[in-house]
Amino acid sequence: MKKVYPDAAAALDGVLFDGMTIMAGGFGLCGIPENLITALRDSGVKDLTFISNNAGVDDFGLGLLLQTRQIKKMISSYVGENKTFEKQYLSGELELEFNPQGTLAERCRAGGAGIPGFYTKTGVGTMIAEGKEHKDFNGETYILETGLVADLSVVKAWKADTEGNLVYRKTARNFNPMMATAGKVTVAEVEEIVEPGELDPDLIHTPGIFVQRVIKGEHEKRIEQRTTRQKES
């Protein structure tokens, strides 16, 4: 099965439809599948539900899809860097399902592992717990959270081989590995593609069995917030 595609548009061909659910990996602007996000915008697919830790910034990452109003709902943890997100949510245009960050990560991991639900103490006694099943274990109260799966997962890795095995670097390992396992179709964009056997098997983070399509992208790697200080004389 040929997994390497020439570009993002080709890799998404035949898998997109209106109203679908998409997982997008990354943390802030680190490790986001920026080429695939741009291709999603250009495709015109709409009424999307996105599962992503955050929503990028106004003019980069998932912020591009918010600008074009292609996203109907976000299942997220942190969205504070995006003014477009704020305006659409407060005006009622955008649905939002907030999750504690660790809970969101575990929901994705559980979905990829075939686990339909799990109990956690996080959120007990807060708005997060409203409407959810409560259960006591050893005298402590937990709430039931459900695993998440998606029609499509788009992820960013450092290297891949032509069989779809992936290696991530540093912060890009936040959310990308678990989301890669939880998509019915997973498309990865990477910085380098090598031949089978060139990756150390002990260093592979996502086995190729989870990945259907791979592209080599050009990446801006924008800094989300740049903080500087005066140089000491």
Side-chain angles (χ1 to χ4, degrees), residues 27 89 198 205 230:
F27 191 82
Y89 172 64
E198 292 187 47
H205 300 126
Q230 292 292 332

Side-chain angles (χ1 to χ4, degrees), residues 106-117 147-149 181-182 210:
E106 181 63 8
R107 292 184 73 189
C108 296
R109 191 202 68 81
I115 298 170
L148 291 170
V149 294
T181 69
F210 293 109

Side-chain angles (χ1 to χ4, degrees), residues 100-229:
Q101 198 162 77
T103 298
L104 180 63
E106 181 63 8
R107 292 184 73 189
C108 296
R109 191 202 68 81
I115 298 170
F118 60 93
Y119 289 96
T120 175
K121 288 177 66 175
T122 304
V124 172
T126 73
M127 292 176 62
I128 294 294
E130 292 179 5
K132 295 177 180 175
E133 179 187 330
H134 289 58
K135 194 173 183 68
D136 288 347
F137 296 91
N138 299 319
E140 298 282 352
T141 301
Y142 294 73
I143 56 175
L144 178 65
E145 295 282 2
T146 56
L148 291 170
V149 294
D151 299 302
L152 170 68
S153 288
V154 288
V155 300
K156 161 69 167 59
W158 176 41
K159 286 185 180 182
D161 64 19
T162 56
E163 298 296 322
N165 296 300
L166 303 180
V167 177
Y168 308 94
R169 289 191 75 243
K170 303 184 189 301
T171 307
R173 288 182 69 180
N174 286 329
F175 288 97
N176 276 303
M178 61 279 283
M179 287 184 171
T181 69
K184 296 175 184 177
V185 176
T186 294
V187 182
E189 65 176 68
V190 301
E191 298 176 36
E192 183 180 352
I193 299 176
V194 299
E195 292 301 316
E198 292 187 47
L199 297 179
D200 183 342
D202 287 333
L203 299 181
I204 290 171
H205 300 126
T206 297
I209 192 171
F210 293 109
V211 180
Q212 284 70 47
R213 302 181 181 188
V214 177
I215 65 160
K216 183 177 182 295
E218 298 293 328
H219 300 97
E220 183 178 342
K221 297 185 179 181
R222 191 183 299 191
I223 296 173
E224 189 169 358
Q225 289 192 17
R226 186 183 298 273
T227 302
T228 60
R229 64 179 179 180

Side-chain angles (χ1 to χ4, degrees), residues 32-144:
I32 65 171
E34 54 200 78
N35 294 272
L36 291 165
I37 290 171
T38 300
L40 284 166
R41 179 198 63 186
D42 295 344
S43 75
V45 64
K46 61 183 185 297
D47 295 328
L48 302 173
T49 295
F50 259 92
I51 302 167
S52 176
N53 178 63
N54 53 280
V57 292
D58 290 281
D59 61 344
F60 196 64
L62 293 184
L64 297 176
L65 296 173
L66 289 170
Q67 284 182 341
T68 54
R69 288 173 164 74
Q70 289 168 263
I71 301 177
K72 177 183 71 174
K73 178 179 180 179
M74 289 289 304
I75 300 175
S76 300
S77 173
Y78 177 72
V79 294
E81 302 297 334
N82 195 308
K83 294 294 185 184
T84 305
F85 188 111
E86 178 185 359
K87 291 176 183 177
Q88 291 184 12
Y89 172 64
L90 293 177
S91 68
E93 292 181 69
L94 182 68
E95 297 177 52
L96 172 61
E97 182 181 328
F98 256 139
N99 293 255
Q101 198 162 77
T103 298
L104 180 63
E106 181 63 8
R107 292 184 73 189
C108 296
R109 191 202 68 81
I115 298 170
F118 60 93
Y119 289 96
T120 175
K121 288 177 66 175
T122 304
V124 172
T126 73
M127 292 176 62
I128 294 294
E130 292 179 5
K132 295 177 180 175
E133 179 187 330
H134 289 58
K135 194 173 183 68
D136 288 347
F137 296 91
N138 299 319
E140 298 282 352
T141 301
Y142 294 73
I143 56 175
L144 178 65

